[in-house]
């Protein structure tokens, strides 16, 4: 079984400050991990993913995420927040061991990020 | 978002109506998905198609009926819906449904059942 948790429903940060959106996961084997962003009245937009290799993954719009296997976390970060970053952020996981018969990408409930001018 | 398009963007229907949602992907992908997004709940995967074959049906009520006539088009036929079916319905596509490829989402159809 695979699951993902986003412990914060909302994160508020001042413009220009660093931001972190938290994600923890649970899988039987090794994970594929993804971050998506959703702006109002829009679909989800892919930001970045971790498959293997370097634990620090860089993605779109200056976002990055760090894979931490011991803490089973994949937190999303950005050094300097912009007002335009305000949106809903989703973490998602797929268990590599799930194999060819599993098509489920499990999403978290989402974290609303508000960047205050 | 021009990679995956959905029509209509908004739909209001009565419980006895029959309507269809349409999704089209222009990315050359082999897999397509329907998701339901309700407030305060995680995305719910409804159906998965791989090369036009339905490969997953997540215990979705029969009042939702998917159709995938080719790898670029996906429909969701709706009939005798309930008010609790009101939600944002998202279509997505990916190169492959089982590996590490990310999914690309359309803008969604906001469905209201009255």
């Amino acid at each position: 079984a695979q699951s993902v948790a986003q412990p914060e429903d909302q994160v508020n940060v001042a413009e220009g400050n660093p931001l972190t959106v938290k994600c923890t996961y649970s899988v039987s084997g090794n994970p594929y991990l993804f971050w998506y962003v959703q702006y109002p009245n829009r679909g989800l937009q892919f930001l970045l993913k971790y498959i293997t290799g370097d634990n620090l993954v860089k993605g779109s719009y200056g976002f990055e995420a760090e894979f931490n296997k011991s803490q089973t976390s994949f937190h999303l970060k950005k050094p300097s927040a912009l007002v335009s970053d305000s949106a809903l952020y989703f973490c998602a996981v797929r268990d590599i061991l799930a194999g060819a018969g599993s098509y489920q990408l499990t999403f978290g409930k989402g974290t609303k990020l508000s960047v205050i001018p | 978002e021009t990679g995956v398009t959905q029509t209509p963007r908004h739909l209001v229907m009565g419980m006895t109506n029959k309507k269809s949602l349409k999704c089209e992907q222009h990315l050359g992908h082999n897999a397509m998905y329907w998701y339901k997004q309700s407030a305060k709940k995680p995305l719910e995967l409804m159906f998965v198609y791989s090369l036009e074959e339905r490969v997953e049906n997540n215990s979705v009520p029969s009042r939702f009926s998917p159709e995938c006539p080719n790898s670029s088009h996906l429909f969701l036929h709706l009939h005798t819906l309930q008010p609790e079916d009101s939600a944002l319905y998202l279509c997505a596509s990916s190169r492959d449904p089982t590996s590490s490829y990310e999914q690309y989402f359309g803008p969604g159809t906001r469905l209201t059942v009255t």
Side-chain angles (χ1 to χ4, degrees):
Chain A
Q2 59 192 34
S3 64
V4 62
Q6 294 181 243
E8 302 155 317
D9 289 338
Q10 177 144 0
V11 170
N12 297 321
V13 64
E15 186 177 23
N17 282 3
L19 70 87
T20 299
V21 183
K22 296 179 180 178
C23 171
T24 58
Y25 67 89
S26 175
V27 295
S28 300
N30 291 316
Y32 294 141
L33 291 156
F34 304 81
W35 274 103
Y36 289 83
V37 60
Q38 185 177 31
Y39 297 99
N41 302 313
R42 305 279 287 274
L44 277 68
Q45 186 175 336
F46 169 73
L47 278 179
L48 52 80
K49 66 182 178 183
Y50 171 81
I51 304 301
T52 186
D54 194 345
N55 289 343
L56 185 63
V57 178
K58 294 187 183 296
S60 306
Y61 312 120
F63 284 94
E64 58 187 29
E66 185 167 10
F67 171 64
N68 188 317
K69 188 170 184 177
S70 63
Q71 298 185 6
T72 61
S73 67
F74 189 57
H75 301 332
L76 182 69
K77 299 181 179 184
K78 187 173 183 180
S80 179
L82 300 173
V83 172
S84 58
D85 293 329
S86 298
L88 193 56
Y89 289 81
F90 291 92
C91 182
V93 66
R94 174 181 286 133
D95 189 344
I96 296 174
L97 279 186
S102 172
Y103 307 93
Q104 187 81 22
L105 182 62
T106 301
F107 286 83
K109 291 185 177 182
T111 298
K112 183 178 179 182
L113 173 68
S114 294
V115 181
I116 302 161
Chain B
E1 292 181 351
T2 55
V4 181
T5 57
Q6 290 186 244
T7 54
R9 293 292 306 273
H10 300 272
L11 178 63
V12 179
M13 61 185 289
M15 289 190 285
T16 58
N17 290 160
K18 289 184 179 181
K19 296 286 185 183
S20 295
L21 309 184
K22 179 183 176 181
C23 175
E24 184 174 0
Q25 59 100 357
H26 311 271
L27 301 169
H29 288 167
N30 292 323
M32 296 188 77
Y33 312 77
W34 280 116
Y35 286 90
K36 177 183 179 182
Q37 185 178 28
S38 304
K40 308 294 184 184
K41 293 176 68 174
L43 262 70
E44 299 174 51
L45 179 65
M46 300 176 72
F47 302 104
V48 181
Y49 277 82
S50 176
L51 296 172
E52 303 149 46
E53 177 184 349
R54 190 192 311 179
V55 294
E56 182 125 339
N57 176 347
N58 269 3
S59 302
V60 178
S62 59
R63 58 186 183 269
F64 295 91
S65 175
E67 178 189 2
C68 187
N70 55 62
S71 60
S72 298
H73 294 85
L74 185 65
F75 295 88
L76 188 63
H77 304 300
L78 316 172
H79 65 97
T80 60
L81 295 192
Q82 304 299 310
E84 60 265 28
D85 297 323
S86 298
L88 182 68
Y89 288 84
L90 293 166
C91 174
S93 71
S94 68
R95 291 177 66 177
D96 183 284
T98 62
S99 67
S100 61
Y101 294 113
E102 60 272 19
Q103 296 177 16
Y104 291 82
F105 286 80
T109 295
R110 174 69 62 186
L111 173 66
T112 303
V113 181
T114 60

